[in-house]
Amino acid sequence: QNISNLRQLRYLSCIKHVDIVLGNSSSGIIEVPSFRKPTINIGDRQKGRIKADSIINCIPEKDSIIKSIEKALSFDFQELVEKTINPYG
């Protein structure tokens, strides 16, 4: 089944079941840190936004994305994420 839009409640409910959030959406910056999940922010669409320590910025290239995923899933980064405070509340 193709779901084009989860709507907010369903989307936020899904976040607790993922290991990372990957993309260039403001949600990864604003909402995901509250769930203590890493966000891989691809590209500069969110440039200038305040970011939590759980955000990894990368360029939109395969190797950069792979390295960012490896970092996000690493034990050390997972420990950092557990202590992250969302600057957006």
Side-chain angles (χ1 to χ4, degrees), residues 12-81:
L12 295 174
S13 295
C14 286
I15 291 174
K16 73 177 193 173
H17 299 288
V18 302
D19 294 323
I20 60 173
V21 173
L22 184 134
N24 65 4
S25 168
S26 60
S27 172
I29 307 295
I30 296 171
E31 296 160 337
V32 173
S34 293
F35 290 85
R36 308 234 165 147
K37 302 285 183 169
T39 295
I40 299 173
N41 180 51
I42 301 173
D44 61 2
R45 183 168 175 240
Q46 303 303 325
K47 186 177 181 178
R49 287 192 188 261
I50 297 168
K51 295 182 179 86
D53 292 337
S54 60
I55 311 297
I56 299 170
N57 293 304
C58 74
I59 59 175
E61 292 180 0
K62 180 181 175 180
D63 289 340
S64 180
I65 294 168
I66 290 170
K67 286 179 184 174
S68 296
I69 292 170
E70 290 169 348
K71 177 179 178 177
L73 296 174
S74 72
F75 178 79
D76 289 342
F77 198 78
Q78 290 291 318
E79 281 191 326
L80 174 76
V81 170

